[in-house]
Amino acid sequence: MSFLIRLATQADAPQAVRVVKAVYDEYGFSWDAEDYHADLYDLQSHYFDAGHRFWVAEQNNVVLATVGLHLFRPLTGEVGQIVEHENQRRIGGTDCSLERLYVHPEARKAGIGQALMRTVTGEAKSAGKRTMEIWSDKRFEAAHRLYQRFGAEVIADRICDDPDESPEWGLLIRLY
Ligand SMILES: CC(C)(COP(=O)(O)OP(=O)(O)OC[C@H]1O[C@@H](n2cnc3c(N)ncnc32)[C@H](O)[C@@H]1OP(=O)(O)O)[C@@H](O)C(=O)NCCC(=O)NCCS
């Protein structure tokens, strides 16, 4: 299957919403356009203007998958230590996070997830980042296998602040 990975623009927002919402519908999770998913409607202010990154994978101008990368100063604490940051449980010492990795159900098992992980980790390394944080719903088992192939270790768990209060694993990838 041929596909292209490229940096997104604000014009991709409707297609990014379509892909991520398809996954939420698949799993029966609640959609929250006003708050928890607001970043997908406004990629410009949540990602590009804030110095973060967002990519899409597409085929024939149809978006099949999304992924975001947040870049930030290292969180307080030793690498891997659990810390409280802005009222959330986070992984100390991390300086970037993987966000919004979703492949449309009809486009899976063709290597898109792996290619997006290569893109995100490669870009994080190029930006001088050393440790990546990932919080991921415990039910996303295929994602955890994929992350572990990139060296991710499960460090912690928490309840997400989404409308379903989903249980999440916290994973850490050392990029060096
Ligand atoms: C997790 C997810 C992103 C993976 O995306 P994907 O594009 O299917 O990933 P890949 O194709 O790189 O790899 C998936 C599997 O297909 C296999 N695969 C890859 N290319 C293949 C090919 N050409 N033929 C057969 N199998 C293939 C991989 O080995 C892998 O196998 P595994 O499930 O046994 O580990 C996707 O399943 C998804 O969006 N899931 C729901 C949302 C989610 O979990 N998001 C994470 C949020 S934190």
Side-chain angles (χ1 to χ4, degrees):
M1 180 187 193
S2 65
F3 56 88
L4 166 78
I5 294 176
R6 62 167 173 81
L7 281 166
T9 69
Q10 177 56 32
D12 294 308
Q15 292 216 68
V17 167
R18 176 182 52 73
V19 168
V20 180
K21 191 159 187 315
V23 179
Y24 268 66
D25 290 346
E26 171 191 15
Y27 279 83
F29 295 169
S30 303
W31 190 255
D32 182 10
E34 301 301 318
D35 188 6
Y36 188 71
H37 297 104
D39 60 308
L40 296 167
Y41 293 84
D42 186 3
L43 299 173
Q44 190 66 44
S45 70
H46 286 88
Y47 291 91
F48 315 135
D49 294 348
H52 304 314
R53 312 272 188 274
F54 200 91
W55 293 264
V56 292
E58 68 175 14
Q59 185 181 50
N60 302 327
N61 300 317
V62 176
V63 172
L64 304 175
T66 63
V67 72
L69 171 66
H70 277 181
L71 303 170
F72 44 85
R73 281 179 297 173
L75 296 182
T76 54
E78 297 296 314
V79 171
Q81 188 186 346
I82 304 311
V83 295
E84 255 336 268
H85 181 80
E86 294 174 354
N87 295 322
Q88 257 193 334
R89 180 177 281 211
R90 301 283 301 271
I91 301 178
T94 54
D95 53 12
C96 61
S97 63
L98 179 122
E99 305 290 332
R100 302 295 191 202
L101 176 65
Y102 292 101
V103 177
H104 192 281
E106 289 167 17
R108 294 201 188 132
K109 297 191 180 244
I112 295 178
Q114 179 174 301
L116 287 172
M117 279 300 292
R118 268 205 215 101
T119 300
V120 167
T121 53
E123 175 68 14
K125 285 183 201 174
S126 301
K129 299 299 176 184
R130 292 178 59 79
T131 44
M132 178 177 284
E133 178 186 40
I134 308 174
W135 289 97
S136 175
D137 192 297
K138 289 185 176 179
R139 290 158 283 192
F140 287 155
E141 291 175 4
H144 308 147
R145 288 195 297 277
L146 176 62
Y147 299 151
Q148 278 160 359
R149 287 200 284 276
F150 281 78
E153 303 165 58
V154 175
I155 299 284
D157 64 357
R158 73 178 182 189
I159 300 298
C160 184
D161 60 1
D162 68 351
D164 298 325
E165 301 187 338
S166 305
E168 294 182 316
W169 293 121
L171 302 101
L172 173 75
I173 299 181
R174 293 171 203 269
L175 298 164
Y176 47 91

